[in-house]
Amino acid sequence: MGTTTTVAGIPVATGHWIGGERVGSPSTFTDISPIDGQPIAEVARGGTAEVDAAVAAARTAFAGWSRTGRKERADILEAVAQGVLDRLEDLAAVETADNGALLRSHRRGVMPRVAHNFAFFADHLRRLGHPDLDTRGHRNHVTWDPAGVCALITPWNAPLMLATWKVAPALAAGDTVVLKPAEWSPLTASLLADIAGGAGLPPGVLNVVQGLGPEAGAPLVAHPDVARISFTGSVPTARAIAAAAAPNLTPLSLELGGKSPLVVFADADLDLAVALAVEQFDNAGQVCLAGTRLLVDAAIAAEFTARFLDRAGRLRQGDPRDESTDVGPLIHRDHLARVDGYVRRALAAGARPLLGGGPNTELGGLYYRPTVLVDAPPGSEILTEEVFGPVLTLQTFDTEEQAVALANATRYGLAATLVTGDADRAERVAGRLVAGTVWVNCFFVRDLRAPFGGARQSGIGREGGDWSFDFYCDVKNTVYAPAGG
């Protein structure tokens, strides 16, 4: 069942993937490309019936997959990784059409990372272990037992990469999965299902249910047969998920975005600082980790600002399929209105634009100009709430104490970036920042062995390396008495 559409010349199935088969729904929703605002697919619109079927398929498949040996599971995950590489160009083209991110980024960075997610967790599974512990001659043996059916709900800004960041460790752990991709960018999840099936993943181990959050996501996270829920998205949605999970006491992993600072001290390499600041416009600012609050030492603020505006002003905005484009469109008209609303309210409150300040009227559609605002009132919305667009603010500080206070002056705590030539200062300031990840003189360097997550309202829990298995598994300690004891 189900139908197929063609996106960028590539056939994409628009039905759900349940129990190893394509399944349709009585109704559909329209998937629109942010590049030109035109429909590219009518996608099966799942609800409670499809969720129940997917969870049932996953629960049935769990019996076999959870008992599949580590080597076999790892081999299948590596085959999925190779399948991603084999279809890298297809995946890149479809995702660019679907969410408007740069084609060159998908080709060179994002899709190779998708493959790496599977290859890494396959390898990590093979090495997973803990030394036995001795207690008065008794042997404590730690194991990671598969937990069950995992509900994975993923965002639209990096659809496939962030989906596989969850899917890969869950499958490696021996769990089965029901994936609900974001309705604004669902298509590469469908291609992933094809790739996984072709790689030998048994039917029902990975299921994909497409649909709207209230119709498909809500029954999924409230389902009593779901053993784990992992969600990346907004704080309000996370609250609703937590409430739905509470009656079943279903464990949660939540990554909820941020309002991260990029702190530039007077002893910083200014060329590096400017380059890192301009990088925050990546993916049109639709990056949860972005350092959107530029905090600059007053002693160098004038020079930094002049250099930064020169570089940022030369960014080329346009069609993300063009190799020369630096900044593409926002994802959806509703999101553009949200981003513009933040900027308009900031300007009304007294903020002043040094760059941009509104939609790109020359391009029209969903293109929003890279924007830099100064003079925002302390504690104002634009300085404390996540905009999730190409909008940065710039503030100055006089002392290290002030820099730390400004950096921590939000309810979020996902990431922070420091630029300084003083190693002692870097260590000292990093230790005082409320953030799950701190980058010093770099940005967006991610090692899958390291923990990832947020503090405060940027999330609950950590994933990556052993931390992923700690979440997706039931960690068991078996104590053996001494032989003959």
Side-chain angles (χ1 to χ4, degrees):
M1 292 289 293
T3 59
T4 300
T5 190
T6 300
V7 178
I10 298 149
V12 182
T14 55
H16 313 288
W17 180 253
I18 299 175
E21 297 180 351
R22 289 292 169 185
V23 176
S25 286
S27 61
T28 63
F29 64 92
T30 303
D31 185 25
I32 296 173
S33 174
I35 299 174
D36 55 11
Q38 296 301 306
I40 55 175
E42 290 295 322
V43 182
R45 183 170 175 168
T48 301
E50 291 83 358
V51 166
D52 287 345
V55 173
R59 189 177 182 188
T60 299
F62 178 74
W65 183 247
S66 62
R67 293 195 298 268
T68 300
R70 286 189 180 187
K71 181 182 183 304
E72 186 177 348
R73 292 205 305 265
D75 288 347
I76 291 175
L77 291 184
E78 286 190 338
V80 175
Q82 185 58 53
V84 170
L85 293 177
D86 291 344
R87 298 202 63 184
L88 188 148
E89 289 293 327
D90 291 352
L91 292 166
V94 170
E95 189 142 299
T96 291
D98 204 14
N99 88 327
L102 300 185
L103 180 59
R104 72 174 193 235
S105 295
H106 282 141
R107 284 172 167 164
R108 299 172 191 172
V110 176
M111 295 309 162
R113 177 57 182 267
V114 168
H116 179 62
N117 285 343
F118 284 103
F120 170 85
F121 281 106
D123 184 60
H124 200 78
L125 172 63
R126 294 188 179 103
R127 296 183 287 105
L128 184 67
H130 188 284
D132 287 349
L133 305 172
D134 179 78
T135 306
R136 300 184 303 278
H138 295 68
R139 180 168 64 93
N140 295 260
H141 182 65
V142 177
T143 55
W144 284 261
D145 294 352
V149 178
C150 295
L152 309 181
I153 300 179
T154 54
W156 47 259
N157 60 316
L160 192 57
M161 195 274 284
L162 292 177
T164 57
W165 166 241
K166 301 176 187 296
V167 170
L171 297 182
D175 296 335
T176 54
V177 165
V178 178
L179 170 64
K180 207 296 276 186
E183 57 264 32
W184 286 352
S185 55
L187 298 183
T188 48
S190 180
L191 292 177
L192 175 65
D194 294 335
I195 291 169
L201 194 70
V205 174
L206 171 64
N207 305 274
V208 179
V209 176
Q210 299 151 151
L212 311 185
E215 298 172 1
L220 178 59
V221 297
H223 203 290
D225 291 335
V226 165
R228 296 289 189 275
I229 300 169
S230 182
F231 168 73
T232 297
S234 71
V235 171
T237 302
R239 290 193 180 108
I241 290 173
N248 299 317
L249 294 179
T250 309
L252 298 167
S253 176
L254 305 174
E255 194 267 276
L256 308 178
K259 188 70 173 176
S260 301
L262 192 159
V263 186
V264 182
F265 287 98
D267 55 19
D269 177 334
L270 271 188
D271 289 337
L272 173 63
V274 167
L276 292 174
V278 172
E279 193 175 346
Q280 308 313 307
F281 289 120
D282 182 49
N283 200 21
Q286 299 168 129
V287 178
C288 59
L289 296 162
T292 57
R293 293 183 296 132
L294 307 180
L295 309 178
V296 184
D297 194 312
I300 59 165
E303 184 178 1
F304 169 87
T305 302
R307 292 195 196 184
F308 170 62
L309 292 176
D310 176 65
R311 285 279 300 275
R314 288 187 273 119
L315 290 173
R316 180 170 179 176
Q317 189 166 34
D319 191 321
R321 296 166 295 192
D322 188 330
E323 284 282 317
S324 65
T325 295
D326 300 307
V327 181
L330 297 180
I331 181 73
H332 192 276
R333 61 180 179 274
D334 292 348
H335 188 58
L336 182 139
R338 179 180 182 274
V339 170
D340 193 45
Y342 275 113
V343 173
R344 289 179 180 275
R345 291 190 295 274
L347 296 177
R352 180 168 55 90
L354 297 183
L355 186 71
N360 189 326
T361 55
E362 296 177 10
L363 294 175
L366 301 180
Y367 294 86
Y368 203 88
R369 293 188 184 278
T371 295
V372 181
L373 303 177
V374 295
D375 299 337
S380 60
E381 178 188 63
I382 198 68
L383 298 176
T384 57
E385 295 299 321
E386 185 177 41
V387 177
F388 219 62
V391 179
L392 310 184
T393 59
L394 193 154
Q395 299 167 271
T396 62
F397 61 84
D398 294 307
T399 67
E400 185 177 299
E401 192 72 23
Q402 289 177 341
V404 171
L406 286 171
N408 288 337
T410 78
R411 62 191 174 113
Y412 296 102
L414 186 59
T417 300
L418 305 179
V419 193
T420 177
D422 186 331
D424 291 336
R425 167 178 277 158
E427 186 171 350
R428 185 170 62 246
V429 172
R432 298 181 62 193
L433 295 178
V434 180
T437 300
V438 178
W439 286 289
V440 179
N441 295 328
C442 60
F443 177 66
F444 215 32
V445 177
R446 293 277 299 276
D447 190 318
L448 289 179
R449 295 171 296 180
F452 177 76
R456 292 178 174 167
Q457 292 194 19
S458 283
I460 297 172
R462 295 292 183 271
E463 295 188 44
D466 284 354
W467 289 272
S468 285
F469 287 95
D470 287 346
F471 175 70
Y472 289 110
C473 294
D474 291 321
V475 183
K476 178 191 293 180
N477 183 42
T478 303
V479 183
Y480 295 90

